Amino acid sequence: MWDWFKDWIFSIIQFFYGFCHDWGLAIIIITVLFRILVAPLMHKQAKSNYQMQKIQPKIQDLQKRYANDPQRQQEEMQKLYAEAKFNPLAGCLPMLLQMPIFVALFQVLREMGQREEVQDYCFYNIVPNLVMTPQQALEVGFGTFVPYVILMVIFAGATFLPMVMMQLKSENTQQRNQTLIMGGVMSLFMLWISWSSPAGVLLFWGASSLIGIAQNQITLAMCRKEDARKEEEQVIEVKPVEVNVTRKEKKKRPTKKK
């Protein structure tokens, strides 16, 4: 069943290759379609992360206040989640639902070189061989290795860029610094993984991450706009009503006729 699913995905890539006559562009088209497919899930995930960022100071306050009473802390956490209309599972569920598609695409791109029906996988004149890894490209020559380095940097940097961008506006300096350090360490780890990954995988993951960053920023902009609208409505509701009191004009007394 799983092999059939992977063959079906490869057939879709071949279908788009028939239109554009380039394997790299076909992979990018598939990536865009994949991102459109999971866009509603990613929107919910980004919205959940935004809500979590907003209530993070209150969560930390509860953790300090009830540090010696875990049961009371949990109860207060649940009340806070209910008031903020925040579901902790909302950020994890979208990721779990899209994982089968991502894993299948990842495996298909890694196994493209094993398919006998196609021998030449290239991305125009930019990447000569999408099956080749950066390690293999360096053995060919530095000129061949350059585009693979660019894919490696995009692959590593774009993976954790959304997390870092969100923490840059955080008021918690300690948490922000920890996140930046963790993002840097994980980016180095991704560079190590990309060293032995085919260029097709790096192209897919890099393009997917960049599109994901754009989707995330759009969602955050929508959330901030919604918060600003609610704040304006609250200001209007609490603003006292101003009543203009005008003096009535005195009626002129009729003049007595002589």
Side-chain angles (χ1 to χ4, degrees), residues 227-238:
D227 287 346
R229 184 185 63 81
K230 290 180 180 179
E231 289 178 0
E232 289 178 0
E233 291 178 353
Q234 291 177 356
V235 170
I236 293 174
E237 289 178 0
V238 300

Side-chain angles (χ1 to χ4, degrees), residues 47-257:
K47 191 175 181 179
S48 176
N49 293 336
Y50 177 77
Q51 294 295 333
M52 182 65 180
Q53 192 73 18
K54 286 175 58 179
I55 65 175
Q56 190 65 32
K58 295 182 180 179
I59 292 176
Q60 293 175 351
D61 181 61
L62 291 176
Q63 290 173 343
K64 293 178 181 179
R65 188 183 304 177
Y66 304 105
N68 299 324
D69 191 353
Q71 184 176 357
R72 178 66 184 280
Q73 183 183 124
Q74 186 66 24
E75 292 175 357
E76 294 297 327
M77 287 282 194
Q78 294 299 328
K79 291 180 182 178
L80 178 61
Y81 291 156
E83 292 175 359
K85 297 180 180 180
F86 171 74
N87 184 3
L89 297 177
C92 302
L93 185 59
M95 183 64 69
L96 294 176
L97 292 176
Q98 64 176 318
M99 281 305 293
I101 302 176
F102 167 75
V103 172
L105 269 169
F106 190 86
Q107 291 183 358
V108 166
L109 295 174
R110 285 188 69 95
E111 298 169 0
M112 282 176 64
Q114 302 175 8
R115 296 180 180 271
E116 298 179 355
E117 61 267 27
V118 181
Q119 297 295 332
D120 183 21
Y121 295 100
C122 64
F123 181 24
Y124 290 112
N125 294 324
I126 304 174
V127 182
N129 192 346
L130 293 171
V131 178
M132 185 182 296
T133 65
Q135 183 179 7
Q136 294 170 339
L138 182 60
E139 296 175 357
V140 175
F142 183 77
T144 305
F145 179 62
V146 171
Y148 292 83
V149 173
I150 297 174
L151 288 177
M152 287 176 62
V153 173
I154 296 175
F155 175 81
T159 302
F160 296 97
L161 187 59
M163 178 181 63
V164 173
M165 291 175 65
M166 182 171 289
Q167 288 296 330
L168 288 176
K169 297 183 179 180
S170 176
E171 297 179 357
N172 190 332
T173 306
Q174 183 179 0
Q175 181 182 359
R176 181 180 60 195
N177 293 338
Q178 290 176 351
T179 302
L180 293 176
I181 293 173
M182 184 178 67
V185 173
M186 293 303 295
S187 295
L188 292 176
F189 177 71
M190 295 299 287
L191 281 174
W192 178 73
I193 293 177
S194 65
W195 180 248
S196 57
S197 298
V201 173
L202 303 182
L203 179 62
F204 162 71
W205 184 260
S208 178
S209 299
L210 292 176
I211 296 172
I213 291 172
Q215 290 176 327
N216 187 67
Q217 291 303 308
I218 292 173
T219 300
L220 292 179
M222 293 172 61
C223 291
R224 294 189 187 103
K225 186 177 181 180
E226 181 67 17
D227 287 346
R229 184 185 63 81
K230 290 180 180 179
E231 289 178 0
E232 289 178 0
E233 291 178 353
Q234 291 177 356
V235 170
I236 293 174
E237 289 178 0
V238 300
K239 186 177 181 181
V241 180
E242 297 179 357
V243 180
N244 293 325
V245 180
T246 58
R247 293 180 179 181
K248 294 182 179 180
E249 294 181 358
K250 294 181 179 181
K251 294 182 179 180
K252 295 180 179 180
R253 294 180 181 180
T255 56
K256 294 182 180 181
K257 293 181 181 180

